[in-house]
Amino acid sequence: MGSYEEIFRSSVEDRERFWLDAAGAIDWATPPTQALDESNPPFYRWFPDGELNVAYNALDRHVEAGRGEQAALIYDSPVTDTKRTYTYAQLRDEVAAFAGVLRDLGVSKGDRVVVYMPMVPEAAIAMLACARLGAVHSVVFGGFAAKELAVRIDDAQPTVVVSASCGIEGKRVIEYKPLLDKAIELATHKPAKRVILQRPQAEAAMGEDDVDWASAVAEAAPADPVPVKATDPLYVLYTSGTTGKPKGVVRDSGGYAVALAWSMPNVYDVGPGQTIFTASDVGWVVGHSYIVYAPLLAGATTVLYEGKPVGTPDAGQFWRVMSEYGVRSMFTAPTAFRALKKEDPDGEFARKYDLSGLKYLFLAGERLDPETYRWASKLLDIPVIDHWWQTETGWPIVANPAGIELLPVKPGSPTRPLPGWDIQVLDGDGKPVPAGTDGAIVAKLPLPPGAFPTLWNDDERFLKSYMSAFEGYYLTGDGGHLDEDGYVFVMGRTDDVINVAGHRLSTGGMEEVLASHPDVAECAVIGVTDQMKGQIPRGFVVLKAGVDTSAEGYEEKLRGELVAMVRDQVGAVASLKDVAIVDGLPKTRSGKILRKTMRGIADGTDESVPSTIDDASVLDTLRPVLRKE
């Protein structure tokens, strides 16, 4: 296969040949003759003359190749005590049947379908059914509140919404149907129909626009795969923006399929018939790429797990899953392993299971702290591979490519750029900085296949948010440095998006909620370091003049109201539990709140007073609150 250096060099020196060769791993209705269309930068398009169907590549072709009886998807749900295995043939038939349901409800090529579901096989089936029809799915994380769902419905304008009667968080049953009903009430766009999967844990009351999943599937004729252009969108996935309004990341069909098919053997060292267990959620990009699409494109077996790493029913569930299904590679967020470490520091649960089949542990979604890295490495005695990527990129930017060769590990680094990713670190003037010097991490254009070509119906925001800071480069929003060996060190976000247990959330969105309270004059939300979740939000509010605070328990009552508002309008996933009432917020002379300075003081990483501050005394007053003295 060649060494990392050889493969990376070939991707840079002969990009056209490299990616056309990689496209050979996909079955095309019309094979591409051109890899990259560079006619309208920075709106690059991959495989512009190719046509394919991604669901056909994920399912039908494996059945036609004689591997229909191999396990495709394993559903394991300790929270409902359910296990179910779908072969490739069974999953293809389920997807074709549900695609027939969507077709009969008026969904056709290019239409959008919002999927608002818990971690159940039907979520993956709905995604693949959309892909089979050439429709565009937009999965919304089941932990989001009605307001967040409504915003996404208005932006995507779906023909149909697919949901379930409930989801399960730990021991709590969360009814989804009331949240969906409220979202549609709030939304300007009204989807024609809603398909509801009834779950026994909580049955939903059905309305006239609601369609029962099971009944509809029983009556529908299966749908055939519909070829689409490689440049046609496969899905839209919303990610947090600094303004609070989510950004609809577009994923194309052909480039994404090629990139994921390349990544499975080369990055994760997983091939046909082997098993990958990605402990994430289908509502996030990791779930899209490495629970659903990549494993199935590669002909592997994927585990879809409903539950948490601990407490369902004990801290041994991850180890049980790995042992029971012969998992070769596991992929999750560092938060999950911090939880395991806290619950079972000596690894007693892990030693109860045969983990001899596990070859790699991949961690991503947030910074991997050295202590968690050392604990997992010692416990498992296998390569623990940190790697870095984003919703916008769709697959890893920087990794230790296990399927090519394992490079020497440097704790704190997700290792080196993968083929197609020309990663550089620039200063504020757009000049490269010396090795070891922090700056803005950027990727030279064009981005490789699989990365987003634009934002949904918002080319202008795509340019402003990602392509305008440094001409010819994609601004990742992360800061860090390269060392003398070309290893990448990602130190954290340079914007106001925080990472809570691997979930990217906008502090701006939380601030909008806090500011809507009638007693609040202004506010700020910052992300501070948390030992378990990586980061958690802390809120600071300044009250309006004239607010009567003399009533007994006023401040405690206000804090409770603010926390409840964020939970109701953003969702429990925000994890905002700490709101301080303060006299003022530190600002620049132009009136911008110094959130970065506040973060530095709260984390103890930077106590300096910026020269741009308007009134240093405000910061002096706030410092004990930030430090929690």
Short mmCIF file of all heavy atoms in Angstrom, two decimals, residues 14 133 193 210 253 313 316 329 346 483 591:
data_model
loop_
_atom_site.label_atom_id
_atom_site.label_comp_id
_atom_site.label_asym_id
_atom_site.label_seq_id
_atom_site.Cartn_x
_atom_site.Cartn_y
_atom_site.Cartn_z
N ASP A 14 -0.37 14.66 -7.41
CA ASP A 14 -1.26 14.27 -8.52
C ASP A 14 -2.65 14.03 -7.96
O ASP A 14 -3.14 12.91 -7.89
CB ASP A 14 -0.73 13.02 -9.22
CG ASP A 14 -1.41 12.79 -10.57
OD1 ASP A 14 -2.42 13.46 -10.85
OD2 ASP A 14 -0.92 11.93 -11.33
N LEU A 133 -33.81 7.47 -2.39
CA LEU A 133 -34.69 8.24 -3.27
C LEU A 133 -34.00 9.44 -3.90
O LEU A 133 -34.58 10.13 -4.74
CB LEU A 133 -35.90 8.75 -2.47
CG LEU A 133 -36.90 7.71 -1.96
CD1 LEU A 133 -37.95 8.40 -1.12
CD2 LEU A 133 -37.52 6.94 -3.10
N LYS A 193 -46.45 15.93 6.16
CA LYS A 193 -46.72 14.73 6.95
C LYS A 193 -45.59 14.48 7.95
O LYS A 193 -44.46 14.92 7.76
CB LYS A 193 -46.86 13.50 6.04
CG LYS A 193 -48.08 13.54 5.12
CD LYS A 193 -49.38 13.41 5.92
CE LYS A 193 -50.59 13.42 4.99
NZ LYS A 193 -51.87 13.32 5.74
N ASP A 210 -50.25 12.81 11.03
CA ASP A 210 -49.28 11.82 11.49
C ASP A 210 -49.52 10.47 10.82
O ASP A 210 -50.66 10.06 10.60
CB ASP A 210 -49.36 11.66 13.01
CG ASP A 210 -49.05 12.95 13.74
OD1 ASP A 210 -48.20 13.71 13.24
OD2 ASP A 210 -49.63 13.19 14.81
N SER A 253 -22.85 13.96 -2.49
CA SER A 253 -23.02 12.51 -2.53
C SER A 253 -21.74 11.79 -2.94
O SER A 253 -21.27 10.89 -2.24
CB SER A 253 -24.15 12.15 -3.50
OG SER A 253 -25.39 12.66 -3.04
N PRO A 313 -26.61 -1.14 32.43
CA PRO A 313 -26.87 -0.94 33.86
C PRO A 313 -25.59 -0.73 34.69
O PRO A 313 -25.68 -0.47 35.88
CB PRO A 313 -27.53 -2.26 34.26
CG PRO A 313 -26.91 -3.27 33.34
CD PRO A 313 -26.67 -2.54 32.04
N GLY A 316 -19.75 -1.57 32.58
CA GLY A 316 -19.14 -2.58 31.73
C GLY A 316 -19.74 -2.70 30.35
O GLY A 316 -19.37 -3.60 29.58
N SER A 329 -12.36 -2.05 15.82
CA SER A 329 -12.03 -0.66 16.10
C SER A 329 -13.20 -0.02 16.83
O SER A 329 -14.36 -0.17 16.41
CB SER A 329 -11.74 0.13 14.82
OG SER A 329 -10.51 -0.28 14.25
N ASP A 346 -9.82 1.31 38.16
CA ASP A 346 -8.89 0.19 38.06
C ASP A 346 -9.19 -0.73 36.89
O ASP A 346 -8.50 -1.74 36.69
CB ASP A 346 -8.90 -0.62 39.37
CG ASP A 346 -8.43 0.21 40.56
OD1 ASP A 346 -7.52 1.05 40.36
OD2 ASP A 346 -8.97 0.04 41.66
N ASP A 483 4.52 21.09 14.85
CA ASP A 483 5.89 20.98 15.36
C ASP A 483 6.84 20.72 14.20
O ASP A 483 6.45 20.69 13.03
CB ASP A 483 5.99 19.93 16.47
CG ASP A 483 5.90 18.49 15.98
OD1 ASP A 483 5.81 18.26 14.75
OD2 ASP A 483 5.92 17.58 16.82
N GLY A 591 -17.04 48.35 23.05
CA GLY A 591 -18.23 47.73 23.61
C GLY A 591 -18.31 46.22 23.48
O GLY A 591 -19.31 45.62 23.86
#
